[in-house]
Amino acid sequence: MAATIEKTQLRLEYDNGMKDGKQAIQARTYSNLKNNATDEGLKSASTAIGTLSKKDILNTKKIVTSKIE
């Protein structure tokens, strides 16, 4: 079986404070990334975006959607 990458996304999860004793997370997803984007490149982008934000970034996630043939 071969898998073909259809899309790659970057998901940033921000610290949105505490609610009812649990960590609240606000997420933003960036689409239309190059399918060959590296983890290091996405982490660098996350760090750059984080410097522009008032909220701290808790998690940086790479979401890859593949078609299995």
Side-chain angles (χ1 to χ4, degrees):
M1 277 189 272
T4 304
I5 297 175
E6 291 188 332
K7 70 179 175 180
T8 302
Q9 298 173 304
L10 175 64
R11 179 181 171 93
L12 302 180
E13 295 180 347
Y14 294 92
D15 180 358
N16 205 26
M18 299 295 284
K19 296 199 176 142
D20 298 325
K22 294 183 181 181
Q23 178 69 55
I25 295 174
Q26 179 182 7
R28 169 125 8 238
T29 303
Y30 298 90
S31 300
N32 299 324
L33 304 177
K34 291 183 178 181
N35 288 337
N36 62 351
T38 64
D39 294 346
E40 294 80 17
L42 293 177
K43 184 61 177 173
S44 294
S46 170
T47 301
I49 293 168
T51 63
L52 301 172
S53 176
K54 293 179 183 177
K55 298 179 181 180
D56 293 330
I57 295 176
L58 297 175
N59 297 303
T60 301
K61 297 182 178 182
K62 179 180 179 180
I63 303 170
V64 178
T65 304
S66 299
K67 179 180 179 183
I68 300 173
E69 301 175 35

